[in-house]
Amino acid sequence: MDFMRVTLEIGPKGKKVVAVAPDWPGLARGAKTEEAAVERLLAYVPRYAPVAKLAGLESALATVPVVEVVERYPGTGSTDFWGISFAFSSIDRQVLSDEALERQLRLLRASWAFFDEVRGRVSAELRRGPRGGGRDRDQIVRHIFANEQDWAKGLGVITPDEAMLTDEGMNAHRDAYGNAIRAFHAQGKMARKWPLPYLIRHTAFHTLDHAWEMEDKDLTAGGG
């Protein structure tokens, strides 16, 4: 039987719960109840499958996993407001082996590759919300890049804005991001106040969340 470890981050006011699959960086979904959060997480497993495939871990990702809730832990006010993980589980605080870290980084790199593939095929203009809100593709891309630049500073990685606009510069940024995480891991350091496993999964989540958003709002024929 294929089990998937899941942690549940519970907002302080109980408004939102986030189900996180700690072994699959980026696979996390929030909802109003524990049951709904787990159900939503499982609904996204097929969407995560291309990421696992890009990382060479397709066979390790169960298509219909049995969820094993291994921890419930308190979230922050942002957990309740956004329905996104902003707190650390005990698993996030564990020291990873070198092998486990490399597995996590492979999945992060695969998340980036998936994002690049999606942004290369969706329409420049994306479907708006009911009230006309929302961002276009390039606005989402800039948002992703700006956040990564900020998080990278916590690793001592400074990437100029112009470098994020070329494939060569982006690949260099991502290499530096991963290598800095390896260096911090070797020294037993955190990135600012973030444990490294959390930084990896949060970066992957943010990348994939917006990749899936672009897919859902794609206006090209057959998109969305």
Side-chain angles (χ1 to χ4, degrees), residues 95-206:
V95 177
L96 296 175
S97 67
D98 291 345
E99 181 181 10
L101 179 73
E102 288 304 320
R103 182 185 182 279
Q104 299 270 302
L105 289 174
R106 281 168 64 190
L107 287 162
L108 173 57
R109 194 84 196 200
S111 299
W112 283 329
F114 179 76
F115 179 84
D116 291 342
E117 188 272 328
V118 171
R119 71 185 175 102
R121 63 174 160 82
V122 299
S123 54
E125 181 183 352
L126 299 176
R127 183 177 295 109
R128 299 294 182 177
R131 298 181 180 178
R135 289 177 282 211
D136 288 332
R137 178 197 63 200
D138 292 347
Q139 290 173 320
I140 289 175
V141 170
R142 287 195 294 271
H143 168 71
I144 288 287
F145 290 173
N147 276 269
E148 276 191 23
Q149 283 176 290
D150 183 55
W151 299 336
K153 292 175 185 176
L155 295 164
V157 174
I158 306 299
T159 304
D161 291 345
E162 59 271 18
M164 304 292 283
L165 301 178
T166 67
D167 290 342
E168 183 180 4
M170 177 55 64
N171 285 330
H173 162 79
R174 290 168 175 172
D175 286 343
Y177 202 89
N179 288 335
I181 289 175
R182 292 184 182 96
F184 273 53
H185 170 71
Q187 298 170 55
K189 294 169 58 178
M190 295 197 301
R192 293 176 178 163
K193 297 181 179 179
W194 288 5
L196 297 178
Y198 175 83
L199 174 62
I200 293 170
R201 72 173 176 85
H202 190 68
T203 304
F205 168 80
H206 192 238

Side-chain angles (χ1 to χ4, degrees), residues 47 118 121-123 125-127 212-224:
R47 301 191 77 170
V118 171
R121 63 174 160 82
V122 299
S123 54
E125 181 183 352
L126 299 176
R127 183 177 295 109
W212 293 329
E213 177 191 359
M214 289 191 293
E215 284 189 325
D216 291 342
K217 295 179 178 180
D218 183 18
L219 292 174
T220 57

Side-chain angles (χ1 to χ4, degrees), residues 85-100:
S85 173
F86 284 96
F88 318 139
S89 68
S90 65
I91 293 175
D92 290 321
R93 299 179 187 277
Q94 291 175 358
V95 177
L96 296 175
S97 67
D98 291 345
E99 181 181 10

